[in-house]
């Protein structure tokens, strides 16, 4: 989050503490709320304070390049790729009735995993799913995660008449088996 970089840098200056930050993404409109003057100011502040961090961990080559382009010294940027053990997905039982999402031949299973907060875009997902459901009646949407927007999203699903096709699975530790049961994974954040 841009705000975390800004607030963290200010707090570190006040307390004279070493700063280490991780950058997981390239800032987009959803990270500052708009494309207007407020976004421009947040980006400028983010770039300024990013240069004052003692160390930055970038999770991709693209993010590292972006930090260097902002003027963060190369000696301060460490690249540590996000790691996912893909073997754990191969070991999952997909479609044999043992997983949280059973594979059904004539049904399309779509899913999203993430905290249920506004910035993740679940309402957009539900609006889009309503359109898909009108074209493909044998489809289900699995939403994995929990958060402050859960009841609003459940209500929205009911109001739009899609609730019987939308499954809110809550927080789960068996993400690999859930992904193994999906035909399509989407992420609207």
């Amino acid at each position: 989050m841009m705000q975390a970089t800004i607030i963290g840098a200010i707090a570190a200056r006040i307390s004279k503490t070493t700063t280490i930050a991780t950058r997981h993404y390239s800032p987009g409109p959803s990270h500052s709320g708009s494309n207007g003057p407020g976004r421009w100011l947040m980006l400028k502040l983010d770039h300024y304070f990013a240069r004052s961090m003692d160390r930055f961990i970038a999770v991709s080559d693209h993010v590292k390049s972006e930090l260097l382009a902002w003027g963060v010294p190369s000696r301060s940027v460490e690249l540590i790729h996000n790691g996912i053990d893909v073997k754990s997905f191969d070991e999952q039982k997909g479609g044999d009735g043992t997983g949280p999402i059973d594979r059904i031949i004539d049904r399309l299973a779509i899913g999203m995993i993430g905290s249920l907060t506004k910035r993740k875009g679940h309402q957009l997902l539900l609006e889009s799913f309503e359109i898909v459901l009108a074209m493909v009646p044998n489809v289900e949407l699995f939403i994995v995660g929990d958060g402050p927007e859960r009841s609003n999203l459940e209500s929205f699903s009911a109001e739009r008449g899609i609730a019987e096709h939308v499954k809110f699975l809550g927080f789960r530790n068996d993400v690999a088996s859930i992904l193994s049961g999906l035909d399509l994974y989407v992420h609207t954040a």
Side-chain angles (χ1 to χ4, degrees), residues 1 12 21 24 32 46 67 72-73 77 81 92 102 112 128 142 150 154 159 164 173 187:
M1 263 199 285
H24 294 271
S32 62
D46 189 45
L67 289 168
V72 176
V77 181
H81 288 99
Q92 298 304 314
D102 293 328
M112 180 173 168
S128 301
F142 297 89
R150 182 171 180 159
E154 288 173 330
E159 290 165 10
E164 75 178 59
N173 287 317
H187 198 71

Side-chain angles (χ1 to χ4, degrees), residues 5-180:
T5 302
I6 296 165
I7 293 168
I10 293 169
R13 280 187 182 177
I14 292 169
S15 64
K16 296 178 177 46
T17 302
T18 301
T19 55
I20 301 173
T22 303
R23 182 57 59 116
H24 294 271
Y25 60 88
S26 297
S30 67
H31 293 103
S32 62
S34 73
N35 281 320
R39 174 173 166 62
W40 178 86
L41 177 61
M42 290 300 292
L43 284 171
K44 289 295 181 190
L45 288 170
D46 189 45
H47 293 180
Y48 174 79
F49 284 109
R51 291 189 297 270
S52 71
M53 292 287 174
D54 295 300
R55 299 287 285 175
F56 242 116
I57 299 169
V59 300
S60 70
D61 293 314
H62 174 77
V63 170
K64 180 178 180 178
S65 296
E66 188 172 73
L67 289 168
L68 296 174
W70 292 354
V72 176
S74 60
R75 70 182 182 287
S76 300
V77 181
E78 190 70 35
L79 175 62
I80 302 175
H81 288 99
N82 275 335
I84 297 174
D85 180 9
V86 294
K87 291 178 188 170
S88 67
F89 296 96
D90 294 337
E91 297 165 1
Q92 298 304 314
K93 305 270 187 202
D96 62 0
T98 62
I101 300 174
D102 293 328
R103 286 205 175 261
I104 299 173
I105 299 299
D106 65 344
R107 182 213 56 203
L108 178 64
I110 301 173
M112 180 173 168
I113 300 170
S115 59
L116 304 186
T117 58
K118 285 187 180 186
R119 72 182 260 169
K120 294 292 184 180
H122 288 90
Q123 185 164 326
L124 174 63
L125 173 63
L126 292 170
E127 291 167 356
S128 301
F129 180 73
E130 184 178 7
I131 296 166
V132 171
L133 182 59
M135 295 185 285
V136 184
N138 292 335
V139 63
E140 286 187 276
L141 175 62
F142 297 89
I143 297 178
V144 180
D146 223 333
E149 287 297 303
R150 182 171 180 159
S151 62
N152 293 336
L153 295 167
E154 288 173 330
S155 296
F156 185 80
S157 295
E159 290 165 10
R160 299 302 273 255
I162 61 174
E164 75 178 59
H165 294 272
V166 179
K167 311 293 186 245
F168 289 88
L169 302 182
F171 177 82
R172 301 292 295 248
N173 287 317
D174 56 345
V175 172
S177 62
I178 289 169
L179 288 172
S180 293

